[in-house]
């Protein structure tokens, strides 16, 4: 990772040394799937950690780190987070960009929007623009978003993957009508993201274990957008993949389970086909990127129900 910490001027090695100083008895290790993700024992208490208190680390489930990692926006990219609040994934994207480019954090609910805005302020991200608006009401032709090439769609879902005292009970209490309604909304949001003319990469993720919100949404979207879009196999070293009984290409998708020491989670990455990219290459884009660097952000990923905590370094 390049860059330095905005406040202290530290590089990753220095940050690791700081963590070793603050947690001398903690034998943390690197995570094998996500770069710069550090694995801590579950009894590690970050409440008095100076990096945490100053908003330079966040607590978040490991699976939730995968969305921004799969989106993988290069420095200087313009990104939309379509369903942003409370903003943890938004901040992760901002960190990957090293505070360059622009992240439009869209949230339609006013109360959640305020939480998002406060979260962005707390963590000092300078390239995030919170927008209180319904993503479905945003025109793909709006000049404000003409430079956007990457979109993250992490919509409202059943939350059936969130770990409870007895995960099995969440399957037994499945509300079929509610899941159908959510799936319809999810398809609309994903299709809308794919309609932005210069977007090249869209990541769709949920914290649901239901195929109706996951593989079925992806299949329906592919069926109606196969001319210009295809799936990309992301996080290739992650073994648990999508349910191929729904459609064969589901192995391109990612699934997470409590057996993986994460919440239940699903992720798919859409990329624009090359022939469509060739057409768009003829369209002139005027891009003026911010040159201010956040050089480095540190995200703590914690599993409350599992044997480890995770610290993410950028």
């Amino acid at each position: 990772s390049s860059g330095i910490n905005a406040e202290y001027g530290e590089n990753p090695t220095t940050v690791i040394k700081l963590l070793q100083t603050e947690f001398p008895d903690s034998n943390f290790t690197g995570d094998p799937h996500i770069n710069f993700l550090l694995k801590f024992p579950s009894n590690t208490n970050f409440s008095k950690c100076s990096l945490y208190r100053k908003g330079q680390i966040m607590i978040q489930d490991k699976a939730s780190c995968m969305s921004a990692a799969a989106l993988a926006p290069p420095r200087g990219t313009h990104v939309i987070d379509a369903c942003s609040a409370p903003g943890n994934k938004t901040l992760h994207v901002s960190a990957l960009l090293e505070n360059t480019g622009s992240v439009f954090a869209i949230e339609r609910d006013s109360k959640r929007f305020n939480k998002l805005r406060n979260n962005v302020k707390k963590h000092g991200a300078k390239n995030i623009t919170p927008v209180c608006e319904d993503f479905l009401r945003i025109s793909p032709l709006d000049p404000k978003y003409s430079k956007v090439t990457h979109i993250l769609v992490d919509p409202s879902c059943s939350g059936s993957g969130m770990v409870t005292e007895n995960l099995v009970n969440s399957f037994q209490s499945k509300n079929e009508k509610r899941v159908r309604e959510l799936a319809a909304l999810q398809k609309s949001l994903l299709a809308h993201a794919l309609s932005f003319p210069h977007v090249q990469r869209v990541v769709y993720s949920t914290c649901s274990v239901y195929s109706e919100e996951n593989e079925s949404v992806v299949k329906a979207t592919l069926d109606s957008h196969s001319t210009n879009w295809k799936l990309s196999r992301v996080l290739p070293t992650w073994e648990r993949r999508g349910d191929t009984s729904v459609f064969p290409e589901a192995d391109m998708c990612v699934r997470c389970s409590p057996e993986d020491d994460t919440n239940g989670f699903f992720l798919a990455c859409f990329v624009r086909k090359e022939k469509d990219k060739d057409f768009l290459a003829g369209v002139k884009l005027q891009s003026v990127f911010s040159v201010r660097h956040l050089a480095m952000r540190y995200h703590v990923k914690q599993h409350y129900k599992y044997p480890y905590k995770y610290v993410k370094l950028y």
Side-chain angles (χ1 to χ4, degrees), residues 32-294:
H33 303 106
I34 300 177
N35 291 337
F36 304 108
L37 186 63
L38 302 180
K39 185 176 181 179
F40 279 75
S42 62
N43 61 354
T44 307
N45 183 357
F46 288 94
S47 63
K48 296 182 180 179
C49 173
S50 60
L51 295 174
Y52 176 78
R53 295 175 65 140
K54 293 180 179 182
Q56 294 174 300
I57 57 178
M58 293 192 309
I59 297 173
Q60 187 176 339
D61 181 69
K62 175 184 173 180
S64 296
C65 306
M66 295 181 177
S67 301
L71 191 66
R75 292 180 75 256
T77 301
H78 284 220
V79 180
I80 286 177
D81 186 346
C83 311
S84 183
N88 290 351
K89 294 181 181 69
T90 313
L91 287 161
H92 190 169
V93 171
S94 170
L96 291 177
L97 291 171
E98 298 181 50
N99 226 24
T100 67
S102 185
V103 183
F104 297 100
I106 313 298
E107 176 54 49
R108 68 177 183 176
D109 182 88
S110 58
K111 291 183 179 179
R112 287 173 57 82
F113 176 76
N114 287 333
K115 291 181 180 179
L116 163 67
R117 189 166 52 185
N118 292 337
N119 207 9
V120 170
K121 181 179 179 180
K122 173 184 176 182
H123 291 275
K126 303 300 184 183
N127 63 341
I128 297 176
T129 302
V131 180
C132 189
E133 193 169 355
D134 186 341
F135 177 61
L136 291 175
R137 292 176 177 265
I138 292 177
S139 170
L141 301 180
D142 187 333
K144 180 178 179 179
Y145 305 106
S146 63
K147 302 180 185 70
V148 170
T149 58
H150 290 59
I151 297 181
L152 173 59
V153 180
D154 186 73
S156 297
C157 71
S158 63
S160 54
M162 302 301 291
V163 173
T164 60
E165 292 298 322
N166 185 354
L167 184 61
V168 176
N169 287 339
S170 68
F171 291 90
Q172 296 173 345
S173 60
K174 180 178 179 181
N175 185 327
E176 298 283 357
K177 181 175 182 293
R178 175 61 173 158
V179 170
R180 286 196 300 271
E181 292 172 347
L182 286 166
L185 173 63
Q186 292 154 358
K187 291 173 188 175
S188 296
L189 290 165
L190 183 52
H192 192 58
L194 298 182
S195 72
F196 281 67
H198 301 297
V199 167
Q200 303 297 316
R201 193 174 184 94
V202 174
V203 165
Y204 171 76
S205 61
T206 77
C207 56
S208 171
V209 298
Y210 301 142
S211 62
E212 295 95 325
E213 297 180 88
N214 298 331
E215 290 89 353
S216 293
V217 168
V218 171
K219 180 182 184 301
T221 303
L222 277 178
D223 287 346
S224 58
H225 294 79
S226 60
T227 301
N228 300 326
W229 294 89
K230 63 182 180 179
L231 289 179
S232 173
R233 186 179 177 88
V234 291
L235 300 170
T237 61
W238 187 260
E239 294 185 4
R240 194 179 301 278
R241 313 304 296 189
D243 184 357
T244 55
S245 69
V246 179
F247 72 109
E249 287 183 273
D251 66 345
M252 306 283 277
C253 307
V254 169
R255 269 188 176 265
C256 299
S257 163
E259 296 174 10
D260 305 314
D261 289 343
T262 72
N263 284 319
F265 198 78
F266 175 85
L267 182 148
C269 179
F270 293 77
V271 294
R272 192 180 290 274
K273 290 183 177 179
E274 290 300 323
K275 62 180 181 180
D276 209 38
K277 287 183 181 180
D278 292 340
F279 168 77
L280 290 173
V283 180
K284 184 177 180 181
L285 293 177
Q286 297 179 353
S287 299
V288 181
F289 299 125
S290 168
V291 296
R292 283 188 282 180
H293 300 276
L294 176 71

